[in-house]
Amino acid sequence: MATPFPFGSGNVLTAAQMNAITTLPINDQTASYVAVVGDVGKRIVMNVATANTVTINNSVFSVGDTIFIANKGAGSTTLTAGVGVTINTSSSLALAQHGGGTLVALSASVFTFFSGGGANYGAATGGSSSSINVGGIDYTLLSFTTDGTLTVTKSGLFDVLAFGGGGGGGGYNGVDGTGGGQGGGGAGGYTIEQIYLAANATITIGAGGVGWNSGQQNNYGYPSKLVVGSTSLVVAAGGGGGGGYNGDSFSGGMQGGCGGGAGGMVNVYKTGGVSNAGIYAGGDGGGGLGKGGGGGGGATAVGANGSTTSGGNGGAGGAGYDVSTFIGGSALYKAGGGGGGGKGTGGAGGSSVGGAGASATGNGSAAAANTASGGGGSADNSTAVRTGGAGGSGIVYVRFK
């Protein structure tokens, strides 16, 4: 029989009701659900064939409130924090079929989830496979440097680290000899996510942006994606292109995963491109004839501003992300921004993998493939055409225990 819980003042319970007190009422749901205060002391049971969520919002529950959450359906159920909410767990917030656990409110906005059988890691093939150890835990690592298929051989959780393609560096078309150093390309954005997969996924590696030249100004990088069916589960944005000059127009850095640096030309001060995440923007241009271009934003730092002195140096690209924290045993950095060019010394590529900016009169250098780094910005040479360096393509890592 149904329990009368929660009790009201003056309730008188029968023996049968007392015996039923250990029977949790069930709240069946067949689609993603937002928990309400009426769920306290109950069992939310999700019965959905596709991936779904149970959202916990702020200021709904009080200290000590408890809800049991279970997944009955074939689709993964993910316990999701609403705005201003923190849900801590030592396990996983993703529940495979027949998984469940208890959510306890520590305050109106902080919760602990005690898993009673969360999703385990799955298994898959694809890309280049290797065995790694990170923090004493053994994983299989699949590295994708080109487009491919992640073939799931066992449903479960997968850790994904993805980088978008880096932006190309800014260039100069040599029309009137009034240019300065151009901006370095911004690094591709990166994301680290844990996802549940029960079906194969298509992985697309974002191309790096082309170097700006007189015939090509769309020098942004392209995103890397992990897609199941028509749903993009993981997206890492491409980097913003570096600012350039073609005689009748000039450009600040472009917005992207990390912002591109701005050119330093024609006595116009141009700002670096912003990051889609609101941080790690490109550096500003020096703002005048022969002055330095800004460095492209990196994955962990903004690009440096170009010199405001005529003949000054280009700004260095922002630093990249140390992938050893994810793949173990590697000092490589990914997603370092390219440096801006200048009349003096071109800015260095972020973390030594971004394309270097040109010094004095040269072209910007390209970033290496699969580094997600920005290309270097060019300098100028009176009326000679100078091109920016191409951005590096992205990369996607997938690991599982």
Side-chain angles (χ1 to χ4, degrees):
M1 67 180 295
T3 175
F5 183 84
F7 304 126
S9 176
N11 283 159
V12 177
L13 305 182
T14 66
Q17 288 174 323
M18 290 290 290
N19 290 332
I21 195 62
T22 58
T23 302
L24 291 179
I26 291 178
N27 178 5
D28 279 307
Q29 295 295 324
T30 57
S32 291
Y33 179 68
V34 178
V36 298
V37 69
D39 291 315
V40 174
K42 295 181 180 180
R43 184 190 303 265
I44 298 173
V45 176
M46 304 301 293
N47 187 10
V48 189
T50 58
N52 59 89
T53 59
V54 174
T55 301
I56 307 300
N57 284 330
N58 200 352
S59 302
V60 174
F61 302 101
S62 302
V63 175
D65 283 351
T66 301
I67 304 171
F68 191 90
I69 300 170
N71 180 21
K72 179 180 179 181
S76 171
T77 294
T78 301
L79 194 57
T80 303
V83 176
V85 170
T86 300
I87 304 176
N88 298 307
T89 184
S90 62
S91 181
S92 172
L93 299 180
L95 303 176
Q97 189 174 26
H98 309 308
T102 302
L103 181 73
V104 179
L106 304 183
S107 72
S109 61
V110 179
F111 299 79
T112 299
F113 182 66
F114 299 94
S115 176
N120 295 317
Y121 276 93
T125 59
S128 175
S129 179
S130 59
S131 298
I132 62 172
N133 184 283
V134 181
I137 300 174
D138 292 325
Y139 294 90
T140 295
L141 176 72
L142 305 179
S143 302
F144 289 83
T145 56
T146 59
D147 296 352
T149 299
L150 179 69
T151 302
V152 176
T153 57
K154 175 187 174 185
S155 299
L157 299 174
F158 295 87
D159 300 328
V160 181
L161 170 60
F163 293 94
Y172 168 73
N173 76 342
V175 170
D176 53 17
T178 59
Q182 310 307 320
Y190 78 97
T191 182
I192 302 175
E193 301 185 34
Q194 186 179 77
I195 61 175
Y196 180 90
L197 291 175
N200 296 346
T202 299
I203 291 181
T204 302
I205 302 300
V210 298
W212 173 304
N213 57 57
S214 58
Q216 174 64 53
Q217 298 175 28
N218 295 323
N219 55 341
Y220 47 79
Y222 292 83
S224 295
K225 300 179 181 181
L226 185 151
V227 179
V228 175
S230 60
T231 303
S232 296
L233 298 182
V234 178
V235 178
Y245 179 62
N246 70 352
D248 56 8
S249 66
F250 44 86
S251 173
M254 297 172 64
Q255 179 175 337
C258 299
M265 72 296 277
V266 293
N267 296 310
V268 177
Y269 184 81
K270 300 297 290 185
T271 57
V274 299
S275 164
N276 288 338
I279 52 176
Y280 311 137
D284 296 336
L289 177 63
K291 298 180 181 179
T300 59
V302 299
N305 295 337
S307 171
T308 58
T309 302
S310 183
N313 298 336
Y321 177 83
D322 184 355
V323 299
S324 67
T325 59
F326 188 91
I327 69 174
S330 172
L332 291 176
Y333 285 77
K334 304 296 181 185
K343 283 289 190 179
T345 301
S351 305
S352 301
V353 295
S359 60
T361 60
N363 300 322
S365 68
N370 302 121
T371 62
S373 297
S378 77
D380 70 10
N381 183 22
S382 185
T383 58
V385 173
R386 294 298 179 189
T387 60
S393 53
I395 191 168
V396 174
Y397 296 109
V398 179
R399 73 181 187 188
F400 51 90
K401 294 181 183 178

